[in-house]
Structure formats: structure tokens, C-alpha cells
Amino acid sequence: MAQGARLTMELSRRHLLVGAALGGGLVVAWGLRKRPYPLPLPPGEGEVAFDAWIRVARDGVVTLSVPQLEMGQGISTQLAQIAALELGADWRQMGVVFAPVSEIFANEALAARWAELWLPMAPENGIPADNWLARHWAQEHRFTATADGMSLAAYEAPVRHAAAGARALLVKAAARRWGVNAQDCTVSAGLVRHGQQSLAFGALAQEASGLTLPDPLPLGPPPAESPARLPSGSTPPFPRLDAPAKLDGGWMFAGDVRLPDMLFAAIRHAPLGEAAHLAGHDAKAAKGINGFLKLVEGPDWLAAVASNSWAAEQALAAVAPRFSVHRPISAEKVDGALDNALKAAIKQGGQTIAKQGDPEALLGSKPPYSQRYDAAAAVAAPLETASAVARLRKGRCEIWVASQAPEQTRRAVAKALDISVEHVVLYPLAAGGSFDARLECPHAVEAALIARETGKPVLLTYTRWQEALTAIHRPPLAAQIEARVDQTGTIAAWRLRVAMPSAAREFGARLLQGVSRAEAMAHHQNAHADPLAMEGFVPPYSFALAIEQAPVSVGLPTGRLRGNGHALGAFITESFVDEIAAAQGREPLSYRMAMLEGDPRLAACLQRVSALANWNGGHDASGQGIACHRIRGGCIAAVVTARRGDEGVAVDRIVAVADIGRIVNVDIARQQIEGGLVYGMGLALGSAPVWNGGLPTGARLAALNLPLLANCPEVVVDLIASTADPEDPGELGVAVAAPAIANALFSATGLRLRRLPLGSED
């Protein structure tokens, strides 16, 4: 089989039929019929299951199944809030449980957005969220991934319908007991009421579960909170469900799991480069370490197993594993590959991502504005390093892990152990931050292999060094951007050429097709353009434009990271717009407003943030910078105050205004935007490891120049009330932070920084 053959979907009669349907020919019926699935999580003692989503206990506690990874973004609270409002439950009696993998919980919305990753003939702009093909594929692959801010889009409707159904049945049961019309009953605070009579959910659940659902379901209004009625600092009506457990230490992570006879494993991986493999080690050196039990070899890693984690680490240090690697990765090789690809794209043109109008005719042969922008590779650097527990018993493998794509993790484990995926049981746990670092879980595979060799349960935990060494990177890039203005000084035409890995396609090959990192990089070295990776590079402004990509492999495994292409695209767009405004002697805010004729919501964000931040135009070295961005149905504008401090860049204040449509939970929305702004600050000023000889030269968090509590700026977030469809707020702040900081530094110093991290040119 050729090297790239495994990367192509296996052609079958099914895929031929799908292709015919997409091409306008034969339309087939498979995938359209509803299939019955067993309950993925049977009710416990004293509980009644109304469906896969909702269970009601005798004591009135309502438990919602949450099929998304909780990694601090608050999705478990938001889905529970949606269920409680529709059901009429008492928030004090709401609980959540992380749902096991099941077709019932398929994330059809994300499957449609990521169509290019699994559908060879996918249209360039993806497929609609309600497309039957996306539904079938998501169900067939038990695809419940948590990513791209699609949780509400995917699960708000099914949760509301499940809660409305449970409420209707509870009301019907109560009405039968009282001999009254169900329409005369009301539901609130976990009680069904009629006049002076009331019955608790727990007393009605058993009887209600055996009744027939009404058709259509009586849905209430969609949940919506007003930001004006819930100003910052006010008590939220629906406080986070995970907060108490996190405060008292009861919140469970994979590293907290303890099983009988469990062992502890430490691991060392090979440096990054071609054909990396384990070359040798001194096994005898570990024999005298108290608690050490065994070494387990992988193709490019070595693990030590002991009765405690300290002994495992000491054993690895003693045996001193040696690795062989061909052409180890270095910063010079990454930059060289990008330089060569960009030069070729400038000379020959890249692959078109987006085009509007006739930019070539307007730009001419020598556009007056032309600049080079660069971004180094960045890593997620979550506070919790990778950890997983594995246990093999009677031909079955149990895995305790925080995974953004649990079914794909199950399949990877099954493939490594050469067992059926049905014999892999995954217990979903929360993550201590992820930022897309837990979309892929090679540590779960390694834990399973180590457990097989030891015959006992094993907890594998990466050190910070191993987390950095095995990280998937946000793709680095080199970009050339050109523009020409009209007679009024307003931008008329814009061309952007970006040399960058096809990170989304590379990621999709690893996650969905199970290929190795090396195979995925090799296959996508000269791949087609990657619209998903380049999402966010199209400006929101009304001028003629052309966006092109030159796909290139840089030797680093690349993929998803919070903000994704939006964080990179916004940095280039908003920095260059600011640059042209300054050259034209125009005030940056009004300059942007003049080009936002077709986007009143983004214009409103700019207007409000200028008033809230006391925007002065960035004049007189004030250190104020402004930037805005749109991600699908959400938009944001920010004003940053920054300066050059004694220890580098100092960000003093960030003011942001966002429109994210209908807001389910104002408190969580603010948290997400605040967190995104601080995370974006980290990406703007650091988060970029330097590679030498295939190893990161600084692997500790302190070496990544991340924001500390001591130097975090004042952050002010305002939300605009809207009736538009809800949009996830989690990545908006990440996208707008870097350009706003860069523009603020230009105001403060007169220096234009065009490389991420900012200041790395020095």
C-alpha cells in the first residue's frame, strides 16, 4: 500500500451512493430512518429515566446527561440551565453526569462544520448543520467531539425537547391524579401545581415515565438572560454547578483516579524529527530504586512503572533512554520552510481560499502598501498535563481520561491493543483546561499499552516537559499582504498570501483516520488549500480581496488550538488596517467604521467599546489600541492600553464589547470572554516554544511568558443584548487580543510589531 493510501477514505458502495447524492444523481434512503438505541446510561436505584438525557430521582433530583467535555467553559452548567428552565425544575436540585459515548448524543452540528475532514467530496464551504449526511456520519461514528464552540448549536435543541417532554409527562401524571385538565396545571421549582395542590417531580416520575408524549411538544421560550439586568459582579441566577466541587477539591480529574493494585507510570518521548525511535537505555540502572517494577518500550518512547510516581520518574532518569532521530526539528528549519513557501506563492500565486470583487485590477503591479507578517508555532499549555488511567480485564480495556473526542480515543486504543472498539470502555472525566489539547489523546493509548504489559491498572501522567515535547501546535505562518486605497484614502483592494501548514486536514487525518503524525504531515506537505485552517483570514470589511494559501509542511505536528485561524487572521487583518490608517493620517476607529457598511452589529461593538474605554484615537503616545473581529454569528471589539515596561510588554487594561446573540448565561459568557482575552494575551506575548535538536529549549510554563495573576490587566467586558442565534463566546477574546495589543504598542512606542509573539523580532 502506498504511503498516502491510508489517508484516503476507503471507497465502498455506501460512499459511492453518497457521492451520487451529493452530485445531484441518485438519492438513497439509508441514514434517513431513525434507529432505536439502548439507553447509554441506565437509571440508578431510585431513579426514573425519561430518555437518554433526563433522569428524575424519588427525592426530586433531576440529572442531565452532558455529552461534552467540561474543561472550564461551563457547558455542563449551561445545558443544565436550559433543561431546568424548560422543565421547570428547582436549580438547587439539578445535577449533571458526563454521558458515555453513544449515537444518541452525536454532534451533528460539528460534523457538518468539519465536513472537509471526513467527506472526500465535501463542498468548499461545508454542508448545512441539519444535513442528513452529517447526521448519519455523526451517529455512525459516535461523534460527540467538543470543539469549535459548537456545543450550544448542537445540544440546546435536543436538551430543550427532552426537558419539554419530561415536563409534559409529569403534568399529565399530576392531572390524572387530580382529575383535572393538564392545560390548567403549571410547573415551577420542581413542582406541578393546580390551584392549592402541588406534587413534586419525584412523586410523579415513575407514573409519568409510562405515559405517552403529546405531539407536538409544548416548548417554552428559549432561554435568554439580559446583560443589563445582570451587571458584572451581580449574583447569577444560575451559578456554575462545578464551582463547589472545584473549591473543595472534590472535582475529579484523571490524575485523581485510584483503583485497587494500581501502578504509576512515567514516560519519555523521542525528540521531534524524521524516523525517531528508541535507540537504547541502561535497564540495570533502575534496579536499586525502591518501588520500581518494570520498563515498557514503545516505538518512540520508554515508560517506567513503579508503585508510586516518584519512583517511576527516578527510574527513568536512571536508565537514561537514548533516542535516534533523523533531521531533528529546529526553529531555523521551520522558518526556512515557511520562507521558501511564501516566496514561491508570491512568484506563482497560492491556492485561493476566498475572493470578492476584482482585486487584481485594483491592486496593479506595485501596490503602495505591502508588508510581511509572521507567527511562530504556539502550544496550548493547559495547567493540567496529560493523564490517563487504563485497566485491562477479561479482554476488555477500561480508560479514565478527559477527551474532547471520546469515540475517536476509544478507536485509537482498540487499534493499538488489536481488540474490538466495543471492548473499550471510556469513562469521561473533566479537564483542567484543554484549549483543544485534548482532542487527541495519545496518552490514553500509551496507558493502555503499559497496562497490558504490567497486567495491572496504570496511571500515566506526563511531566510538563513531556507535555511540551508531544504538543500539537497552532500552525506557524509567513504572510505577505498588499493593499491599495482609493482617492479618499479608504482601502479599495487587498491581497493576502499565507504560507502555512494545512493544519485542519492534518489534524483530521490523525483524529478521524487514525494515521500517525509523520504520515499526516507527509501527506499534507503539498495538500490542497485548507479553508477550515484559514477560517478567520477573511476581513469583515467591504473591499475587493483575494486570500490565498500556500500549504507547507514544517516538520511540526499542527492542529487545533483555541482561537485557531481566527486568532491568526485577526492579527494580520487588524494590524494592517491600523497600519494603513496611520499612514493615511486617519483615526483608527472611524477608518474601520467607514468600511463596515454591511455589518451593523460589529459597528455597534466598535461604537460602544470606544465610549466604554474612553477611546482617544491612540494619539499622543497614549498606548491605546483598537481591534475588532467576527466569528460566524458573534462579533467583538476591544480597546487595549499597553506600554513597554521594564520586563517587556505591560498590558494595563482591556475593554471589550461583544455581541454573541441570545445569551443563555451572562455570567459564563463574561467569564469566557475575559478568559479568552487573557489567553489571547498569552498567545500574543508568548506560548511559542523554541526548538533545537528536536527538543523545546524551554518547556516549563515560566519559559512561555504566560500572563500571571500579578501582571494580568484590568479586564472590562460588556455584552450587547441581541435576539440573533446564540454564538459561543469562548474564542472571540482570543482572536481580538493580539491585534489590539500590537496596535496599542504602536501607539505607545511608534514601533509596528508584525510577528507573533510580539517582540520576538528583537
Side-chain angles (χ1 to χ4, degrees):
M1 182 181 291
Q3 185 180 30
R6 291 176 59 194
L7 295 165
T8 303
M9 268 197 167
E10 199 176 306
L11 197 60
S12 66
R13 179 174 177 273
R14 173 177 295 176
H15 292 110
L16 287 172
L17 292 174
V18 173
L22 289 176
L26 177 65
V27 178
V28 294
W30 66 268
L32 293 176
R33 62 183 183 274
K34 293 183 178 179
R35 295 168 55 189
Y37 297 111
L39 280 178
L41 195 64
E45 185 178 351
E47 287 185 325
V48 174
F50 281 79
D51 52 28
W53 294 95
I54 290 176
R55 292 178 288 160
V56 178
R58 292 194 191 102
D59 59 5
V61 172
V62 178
T63 302
L64 177 74
S65 296
V66 175
Q68 296 281 271
L69 174 65
E70 177 60 71
M71 44 191 166
Q73 81 278 38
I75 188 57
S76 54
T77 298
Q78 290 189 82
L79 291 181
Q81 175 186 345
I82 291 166
L85 287 169
E86 189 67 56
L87 183 59
D90 185 343
W91 184 245
R92 296 168 300 178
Q93 290 189 295
M94 284 296 301
V96 296
V97 61
F98 296 136
V101 172
S102 170
E103 298 88 342
I104 295 173
F105 302 123
N107 191 336
E108 300 164 16
L110 184 59
R113 272 193 54 74
W114 285 4
E116 73 169 63
L117 305 183
W118 54 268
L119 185 62
M121 293 164 281
E124 200 168 286
N125 296 323
I127 58 180
D130 59 352
N131 185 277
W132 64 269
L133 183 57
R135 178 169 61 254
H136 176 86
W137 183 88
Q139 290 178 353
E140 185 180 61
H141 292 81
R142 301 189 189 103
F143 182 72
T144 60
T146 309
D148 241 349
M150 297 300 291
S151 295
L152 282 179
Y155 296 109
E156 180 182 13
V159 167
R160 285 186 65 204
H161 280 80
R167 171 171 47 81
L169 295 178
L170 290 166
V171 168
K172 184 183 284 190
R176 281 191 174 190
R177 287 197 190 182
W178 296 326
V180 300
N181 193 324
Q183 294 179 348
D184 296 330
C185 298
T186 61
V187 184
S188 63
L191 298 171
V192 181
R193 294 182 170 89
H194 181 269
Q196 298 300 313
Q197 304 177 96
S198 66
L199 284 169
F201 286 178
L204 295 167
Q206 190 67 50
E207 180 182 350
S209 65
L211 301 178
T212 304
L213 280 171
D215 187 16
L217 284 175
L219 281 171
E225 290 186 350
S226 168
R229 295 181 180 178
L230 294 168
S232 181
S234 60
T235 301
F238 296 93
R240 292 184 63 133
L241 293 176
D242 53 347
K246 287 180 176 177
L247 289 172
D248 66 17
W251 194 246
M252 179 70 75
F253 300 99
D256 299 321
V257 174
R258 294 294 182 270
L259 301 175
D261 299 323
M262 192 172 79
L263 303 177
F264 297 81
I267 197 166
R268 297 288 186 273
H269 294 88
L272 281 181
E274 298 177 15
H277 63 276
L278 179 64
H281 57 278
D282 183 7
K284 295 180 180 179
K287 289 186 176 180
I289 296 174
N290 187 30
F292 167 72
L293 299 171
K294 188 173 186 177
L295 294 174
V296 178
E297 295 184 18
D300 58 354
W301 52 266
L302 179 69
V305 185
S307 59
N308 60 82
S309 57
W310 175 254
E313 284 293 339
Q314 291 298 106
L316 270 184
V319 302
R322 302 182 303 278
F323 297 95
S324 175
V325 58
H326 182 57
R327 295 179 181 174
I329 196 67
S330 66
E332 292 77 15
K333 288 183 179 179
V334 172
D335 290 342
L338 292 171
D339 283 338
N340 293 335
L342 183 59
K343 289 174 183 176
I346 293 171
K347 185 177 181 180
Q348 304 167 7
Q351 300 182 41
T352 300
I353 294 291
K355 187 174 182 179
Q356 63 186 35
D358 190 1
E360 289 81 6
L362 294 170
L363 285 167
S365 58
K366 291 185 178 180
Y369 297 102
S370 180
Q371 290 293 349
R372 164 86 177 254
Y373 278 81
D374 295 88
V379 292
L383 188 60
E384 179 199 17
T385 61
S387 56
V389 172
R391 177 170 64 186
L392 273 69
R393 295 189 304 182
K394 300 178 180 179
R396 297 169 66 86
C397 178
E398 297 171 286
I399 295 286
W400 287 259
V401 69
S403 172
Q404 289 179 247
E407 175 63 8
Q408 285 61 48
T409 298
R410 288 179 69 217
R411 295 185 182 212
V413 170
K415 180 180 177 181
L417 296 177
D418 194 22
I419 61 177
S420 166
V421 69
E422 306 303 330
H423 291 161
V424 178
V425 179
L426 187 146
Y427 301 101
L429 295 170
S434 174
F435 318 115
D436 286 351
R438 303 297 174 244
L439 275 165
E440 302 171 64
C441 295
H443 50 288
V445 172
E446 292 163 352
L449 292 172
I450 297 168
R452 183 178 65 180
E453 293 301 311
T454 61
K456 290 187 177 182
V458 169
L459 167 60
L460 171 65
T461 303
Y462 283 11
T463 62
R464 179 59 56 186
W465 173 263
Q466 295 304 305
E467 178 79 23
L469 180 58
T470 60
I472 298 295
H473 302 76
R474 184 180 72 178
L477 66 79
Q480 189 71 30
I481 186 167
E482 303 168 326
R484 186 179 291 275
V485 299
D486 60 20
Q487 294 179 346
T488 68
T490 302
I491 298 172
W494 174 288
R495 178 168 57 216
L496 173 64
R497 289 184 171 126
V498 182
M500 187 179 81
S502 291
R505 294 185 184 275
E506 183 185 328
F507 153 76
R510 293 192 304 265
L511 182 73
L512 303 180
Q513 300 176 37
V515 305
S516 70
R517 295 183 176 188
E519 288 175 305
M521 282 190 287
H523 181 77
H524 291 287
Q525 183 170 0
N526 298 303
H528 294 295
D530 193 342
L532 193 58
M534 290 285 292
E535 187 182 38
F537 285 79
V538 179
Y541 305 108
S542 53
F543 47 65
L545 63 84
I547 311 293
E548 300 174 1
Q549 181 196 0
V552 56
S553 176
V554 296
L556 285 172
T558 60
R560 314 285 292 175
L561 189 149
R562 187 179 185 184
N564 293 297
H566 287 280
L568 295 168
F571 169 65
I572 296 172
T573 296
E574 289 299 288
S575 296
F576 197 52
V577 166
D578 218 67
E579 193 166 349
I580 297 174
Q584 291 291 315
R586 300 278 292 275
E587 188 273 320
L589 170 63
S590 59
Y591 194 69
R592 287 171 168 82
M593 293 290 289
M595 298 185 293
L596 281 175
E597 300 172 357
D599 200 335
R601 293 173 65 193
L602 186 53
C605 289
L606 277 167
Q607 288 178 319
R608 185 177 291 193
V609 81
S610 66
L612 194 61
N614 296 317
W615 167 251
N616 65 3
H619 298 308
D620 303 322
S622 66
Q624 278 194 334
I626 196 167
C628 63
H629 191 65
R630 169 175 289 281
I631 299 181
R632 298 186 294 273
C635 49
I636 190 170
V639 172
V640 165
T641 304
R643 56 188 165 83
R644 278 281 194 178
D646 295 335
E647 299 180 359
V649 176
V651 179
D652 296 320
R653 191 170 190 242
I654 304 177
V655 181
V657 173
D659 180 344
I660 59 170
R662 172 171 54 84
I663 305 172
V664 173
N665 189 301
V666 167
D667 189 50
I668 289 178
R670 281 202 189 96
Q671 291 174 20
Q672 283 296 288
I673 294 173
E674 289 169 358
L677 289 165
V678 175
Y679 192 81
M681 177 180 160
L683 289 173
L685 304 178
S687 302
V690 177
W691 293 86
N692 186 22
L695 298 172
T697 57
R700 293 182 178 274
L701 291 179
L704 294 177
N705 197 33
L706 302 176
L708 305 175
L709 284 176
N711 57 23
C712 270
E714 175 192 2
V715 179
V716 178
V717 173
D718 192 22
L719 298 168
I720 294 178
S722 174
T723 58
D725 290 340
E727 186 62 51
D728 181 78
E731 300 194 344
L732 283 169
V734 182
V736 82
I741 295 171
N743 294 338
L745 290 173
F746 174 74
S747 168
T749 66
L751 297 175
R752 179 67 64 181
L753 302 178
R754 302 186 183 93
R755 180 181 176 86
L756 290 177
L758 299 173
S760 56
E761 295 99 328
D762 297 342

